[in-house]
Amino acid sequence: MAGVPFESKFGDPRKAPRGKVPWIEDDGTIIPDSQAAIEHLKRRYGDPLDARLGKEEWARGHSLRRMLEEGTYFLAVHQRWADDRGWAAYKPYFLPLLPAFIGGPVIEMIRRAQVKALHAQGVGRYTEEQKLDMMVMDFEAVAVSLGDKDYLFGSEPTSFDATTYAFLTAQVAFPVSTKPKAFVEGNSALMAYKRRIDERYFR
Ligand SMILES: N[C@@H](CCC(=O)N[C@@H](CS)C(=O)NCC(=O)O)C(=O)O
């Protein structure tokens, strides 16, 4: 989006600098966490995306991104790892990423660790219904922020659109029907926004 050339590679959390994906390597410097990576790239190569934003717009974008990455994220982890229907759909994609033979028991261990982490974070303690409603509300907040604009902050995209796009795409691409997925798919402005970004950057 910022015109910086890059090559994407498969990230293995076991080899990640902080045990988490994603991370970037830029000229020998390793930067874990998408947010820190974005800040680094802005410092190093300039900021063609967000530089035009006023302080208040930045604050709104930052709040939205933190809601998605630190709140909605855990609800999405629940969808994939803890919910039985979600797990049945996600496991066949995840399993081939692990070594053959030990992959089966290891994946169940990872699942138990994820369920424990969701409980510690707090999301795991809500009922299924509450979790789905919380997620719908988050996407509703995104839809209201977008309004009838092409991008969150007008006619051109910012780094905040990258985050929003990722969360919408993950929801739409996930094969299990849920309330939040139905909300996103039923919202014509959100779907047009997702298509706009698909066509601009991924076609
Ligand atoms: N806010 C972080 C989130 C990183 C994150 O939680 N990554 C997950 C996958 S989406 C992970 O690597 N989990 C492995 C683990 O917790 O062991 C970022 O955007 O970089």
Side-chain angles (χ1 to χ4, degrees):
M1 289 172 82
V4 180
F6 69 98
E7 183 194 346
S8 64
K9 290 191 178 168
F10 175 74
D12 183 342
R14 288 165 301 182
K15 297 182 185 132
R18 278 191 208 139
K20 280 184 175 251
V21 289
W23 76 92
I24 64 162
E25 189 183 332
D26 178 32
D27 234 351
T29 308
I30 291 184
I31 303 112
D33 196 295
S34 54
Q35 183 61 54
I38 290 170
E39 299 309 332
H40 165 89
L41 294 171
K42 283 182 176 183
R43 276 194 303 273
R44 189 114 199 258
Y45 302 101
D47 185 3
L49 294 167
D50 300 349
R52 68 180 170 88
L53 297 179
K55 213 58 196 142
E56 205 174 312
E57 288 174 313
W58 169 82
R60 277 188 8 238
H62 180 74
S63 310
L64 204 59
R65 175 156 64 198
R66 297 281 291 177
M67 172 191 76
L68 291 168
E69 294 188 348
E70 311 300 336
T72 321
Y73 170 80
F74 291 99
L75 297 161
V77 170
H78 170 82
Q79 273 183 335
R80 290 181 189 186
W81 287 93
D83 173 70
D84 287 334
R85 278 193 320 148
W87 180 237
Y90 189 52
K91 189 177 169 176
Y93 288 97
F94 199 79
L95 193 55
L97 305 178
L98 296 169
F101 307 115
I102 60 156
V106 168
I107 202 173
E108 292 304 332
M109 259 170 58
I110 302 176
R111 186 187 189 201
R112 281 195 295 277
Q114 293 283 12
V115 171
K116 225 170 133 182
L118 289 168
H119 185 80
Q121 191 270 344
V123 151
R125 299 167 202 229
Y126 289 100
T127 65
E128 198 54 35
E129 202 58 20
Q130 285 169 327
K131 284 193 276 267
L132 294 170
D133 287 345
M134 280 159 74
M135 214 174 189
V136 168
M137 218 189 271
D138 290 356
F139 286 119
E140 220 174 325
V142 172
V144 172
S145 298
L146 178 66
D148 58 7
K149 300 185 293 303
D150 279 355
Y151 297 99
L152 288 169
F153 295 101
S155 57
E156 286 301 316
T158 63
S159 73
F160 303 111
D161 293 291
T163 308
T164 308
Y165 169 80
F167 276 82
L168 293 173
T169 298
Q171 208 45 222
V172 171
F174 199 62
V176 179
S177 342
T178 61
K179 248 172 150 175
K181 182 175 156 96
F183 174 83
V184 172
E185 288 176 342
N187 186 298
S188 55
L190 285 181
M191 290 304 281
Y193 168 69
K194 180 188 147 358
R195 259 196 314 276
R196 197 169 295 126
I197 298 178
D198 273 332
E199 278 159 19
R200 182 164 177 161
Y201 296 106
F202 296 98
R203 290 281 140 80

